[in-house]
């Protein structure tokens, strides 16, 4: 066993690059005497797996390995016993040395061969970087649902649908067969996490829907009022009609307009609901007693039934619609809500990171690792852990 252990340990030191000159010469002699061993090790070296082999050896030196080792030793002892019946003592000891050496090399070859087998039969676990690279951005994904509950998954080849003489895609291709939609039909356009879509309503109003959002609207508007309901985030370009106000209802406010461009962010899971005005004039109401009129460049923030008015950079509010994430000293907690919806991830922050402020912008069409780089630029002490599609940030 001493000889066997010595050679195995020698190979272990060779694999980790810890040989002194004497040991290196000994390994070279071993390779010269046993070319098969040199070939196996060279193959491992070619695969850049030598240093990993030591770790694999500690996992592979199991009871099965020991049983194989014992079988080799028993075979050696059996041969020595047979030789002792017909040979002189000095010859026996000489043969013992030879057999012990053969046994040692056999065990060593077995050790390396098992490692090689493990390398070729077990796929290595993907690295964190490889997993992160699979977190690709969202795209054109949406479903259109009728009042009856019938649902149509819309094509991701197109970015939106148009309601005209029929419901069709931008190039005129029909979504439904003609004549199947009643004039008073109420439709729901919904996007999943990682989805976005557009719709041009029957009055010509254009709506861009962000990820994980729903817009309910009639197939045809009445002449007196144009009502839609929103859950999530959407950007509106409302066509002016003097005698038919356009009203957007969310769970937290009502927005009344005649013709204007504005963004509404009203997710049920968020405490605040916001309306940012780019052009025109809108009236925002919350409950019976709170209402305000916004001017371009202003944003209303509804929280627990109360309305606050802020001056904002409207480009930041509609950056998502233009294919960007734009953050101006925004808390990491808010940033990650937006990122999680777009990349369809489950993101968790340690408590000491929620109020960290992020500044910068990245394309919404970059992979998730680009967002990570922006966060690391803010504070390189921030680390992340990945499990499946769950990302946890810690510091």
């Amino acid at each position: 066993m001493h000889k066997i252990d010595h050679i195995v340990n020698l190979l272990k030191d060779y694999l980790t690059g810890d040989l002194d000159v004497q040991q290196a010469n000994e390994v070279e002699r071993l390779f010269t005497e046993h070319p098969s061993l040199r070939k196996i090790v060279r193959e491992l070296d070619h695969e850049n797996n030598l240093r990993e082999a030591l770790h694999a050896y500690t996992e592979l030196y199991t009871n099965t390995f020991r049983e194989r080792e014992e079988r080799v030793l028993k075979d050696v002892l059996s041969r020595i016993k047979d030789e002792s019946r017909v040979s002189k003592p000095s010859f026996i000891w000489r043969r013992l040395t030879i057999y012990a050496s053969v046994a040692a090399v056999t065990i060593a070859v077995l050790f390396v061969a098992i490692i090689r087998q493990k390398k070729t039969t077990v796929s290595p676990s993907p690295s964190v970087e490889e997993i992160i690279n699979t977190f690709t951005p969202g795209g054109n994904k949406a479903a259109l649902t009728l009042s009856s509950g019938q649902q149509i998954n819309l094509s991701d080849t197109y970015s939106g649908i148009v309601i005209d003489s029929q419901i069709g895609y931008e190039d005129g291709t029909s979504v439904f067969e003609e004549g199947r939609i009643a004039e008073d039909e109420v439709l729901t356009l919904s996007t999943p996490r990682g989805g976005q879509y557009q719709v041009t309503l029957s009055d010509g109003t254009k709506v861009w829907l962000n990820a994980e959002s729903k817009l309910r609207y009639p197939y045809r508007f009445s002449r007196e009022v144009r009502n839609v309901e929103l859950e999530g985030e959407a950007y509106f370009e409302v066509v002016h009609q003097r005698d038919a106000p356009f009203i957007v209802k969310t769970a937290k406010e009502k927005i009344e307009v005649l013709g204007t461009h504005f963004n509404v962010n009203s997710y049920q899971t968020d405490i605040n609901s916001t309306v940012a005005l780019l052009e025109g004039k809108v009236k925002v109401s919350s409950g019976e007693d709170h209402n305000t009129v916004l001017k371009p460049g202003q944003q209303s923030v509804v929280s627990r039934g109360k309305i606050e008015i802020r001056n904002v950079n409207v480009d930041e509010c509609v950056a998502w619609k233009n294919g960007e994430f734009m953050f101006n000293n925004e808390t990491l907690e808010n940033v990650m809500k937006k990122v999680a919806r777009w990349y369809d991830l489950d993101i968790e922050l340690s408590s000491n990171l929620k109020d960290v402020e992020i500044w910068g912008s990245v394309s919404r069409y970059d992979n998730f690792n680009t967002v990570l780089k922006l966060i690391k630029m803010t504070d390189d002490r921030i680390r992340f852990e990945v499990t499946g599609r769950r990302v946890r940030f810690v510091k």
Side-chain angles (χ1 to χ4, degrees):
M1 282 295 293
H2 175 71
K3 179 69 174 176
I4 294 172
D5 288 341
H6 174 70
I7 292 182
V8 170
N9 289 328
L10 196 65
L11 280 177
K12 286 165 60 179
D13 290 339
Y14 174 81
L15 294 173
T16 55
D18 294 329
L19 295 178
D20 58 25
V21 175
Q22 181 179 348
Q23 289 173 320
N25 291 335
E26 189 174 355
V27 170
E28 186 58 33
R29 285 196 300 272
L30 191 64
F31 288 164
T32 301
E33 294 173 5
H34 306 280
S36 61
L37 183 62
R38 180 195 293 271
K39 182 180 178 181
I40 292 173
V41 174
R42 278 183 174 175
E43 287 177 3
L44 284 171
D45 183 56
H46 179 70
E47 296 173 7
N48 298 319
N49 286 325
L50 287 178
R51 295 188 181 277
E52 295 180 24
L54 178 57
H55 176 68
Y57 173 71
T58 61
E59 296 179 345
L60 293 166
Y61 195 72
T62 61
N63 290 334
T64 301
F65 187 98
R66 294 188 185 94
E67 289 171 4
R68 294 184 189 181
E69 182 181 272
E70 288 172 4
R71 286 199 298 270
V72 173
L73 292 177
K74 286 179 181 179
D75 182 66
V76 170
L77 293 175
S78 175
R79 295 190 184 195
I80 292 173
K81 184 176 181 181
D82 291 339
E83 297 258 8
S84 65
R85 295 171 181 170
V86 297
S87 306
K88 296 179 181 181
S90 60
F91 181 78
I92 291 173
W93 285 112
R94 200 161 49 248
R95 299 298 293 176
L96 174 61
T97 301
I98 293 172
Y99 284 136
S101 177
V102 171
V105 173
T106 302
I107 297 298
V109 171
L110 181 61
F111 148 64
V112 180
I114 292 178
I115 293 172
R116 182 178 62 177
Q117 183 181 14
K118 181 179 178 69
K119 299 298 181 184
T120 57
T121 58
V122 179
S123 299
S125 298
S127 66
V128 171
E129 288 74 17
E130 290 171 330
I131 296 174
I132 289 296
N133 284 331
T134 67
F135 298 160
T136 53
N140 298 324
K141 303 173 189 175
L144 189 64
T145 305
L146 304 181
S147 303
S148 64
Q150 180 186 357
Q151 185 176 85
I152 300 296
N153 290 322
L154 299 174
S155 173
D156 58 7
T157 303
Y158 302 95
S159 61
I161 57 175
V162 178
I163 299 176
D164 198 352
S165 58
Q166 62 175 356
I167 300 178
Y169 294 107
E170 299 139 320
D171 64 353
T173 303
S174 179
V175 174
F176 294 99
E177 295 179 7
E178 290 189 39
R180 289 186 58 186
I181 306 299
E183 292 289 314
D184 60 351
E185 179 70 60
V186 176
L187 305 170
T188 301
L189 179 65
S190 58
T191 55
R193 291 168 67 89
Q196 63 180 9
Y197 227 73
Q198 302 174 26
V199 58
T200 300
L201 303 177
S202 60
D203 66 339
T205 292
K206 295 181 180 180
V207 186
W208 286 256
L209 213 58
N210 203 352
E212 202 174 19
S213 301
K214 292 181 181 179
L215 181 72
R216 295 183 73 250
Y217 54 93
Y219 178 49
R220 300 293 182 197
F221 285 118
S222 71
R223 294 182 178 181
E224 294 78 23
V225 66
R226 296 171 288 169
N227 283 314
V228 301
E229 297 177 15
L230 174 68
E231 177 184 332
E233 184 168 22
Y235 175 76
F236 293 81
E237 291 185 354
V238 177
V239 171
H240 176 70
Q241 290 185 8
R242 177 178 297 179
D243 299 325
F246 192 96
I247 298 176
V248 181
K249 294 181 180 180
T250 75
K252 300 169 184 174
E253 72 255 284
K254 181 173 75 171
I255 304 113
E256 300 177 55
V257 302
L258 291 176
T260 188
H261 297 183
F262 60 99
N263 189 83
V264 182
N265 186 320
S266 186
Y267 287 96
Q268 290 187 351
T269 54
D270 293 351
I271 296 176
N272 296 339
S273 182
T274 63
V275 178
L277 182 63
L278 282 76
E279 296 180 14
K281 185 181 293 186
V282 300
K283 179 182 178 182
V284 180
S285 305
S286 178
E288 296 181 359
D289 301 327
H290 299 89
N291 61 77
T292 187
V293 175
L294 295 182
K295 298 177 181 178
Q298 291 184 329
Q299 179 187 66
S300 65
V301 181
V302 175
S303 180
R304 296 181 176 88
K306 295 183 179 181
I307 301 178
E308 178 186 350
I309 304 300
R310 300 174 182 173
N311 293 320
V312 294
N313 180 343
V314 291
D315 289 338
E316 296 172 11
C317 299
V318 299
W320 67 269
K321 177 247 181 186
N322 298 322
E324 283 188 279
F325 283 116
M326 189 178 294
F327 310 121
N328 184 5
N329 295 328
E330 192 167 353
T331 65
L332 188 57
E333 183 176 25
N334 286 341
V335 166
M336 284 305 148
K337 287 179 181 178
K338 299 176 182 179
V339 170
R341 290 183 185 118
W342 182 238
Y343 290 94
D344 188 15
L345 298 173
D346 179 13
I347 296 180
E348 181 182 338
L349 300 175
S350 60
S351 57
N352 62 337
L353 288 177
K354 293 183 178 181
D355 294 327
V356 171
E357 294 184 341
I358 301 296
W359 186 93
S361 65
V362 295
S363 170
R364 272 166 54 104
Y365 300 106
D366 285 338
N367 281 0
F368 183 63
N369 57 5
T370 304
V371 178
L372 290 178
K373 291 177 183 177
L374 179 64
I375 295 170
K376 293 289 287 183
M377 287 174 61
T378 302
D379 189 339
D380 60 8
R381 293 172 297 177
I382 297 176
R383 297 178 293 104
F384 58 91
E385 303 164 354
V386 180
T387 306
R389 296 191 70 80
R390 177 176 174 273
V391 183
R392 184 170 187 269
F393 289 86
V394 295
K395 180 180 175 182

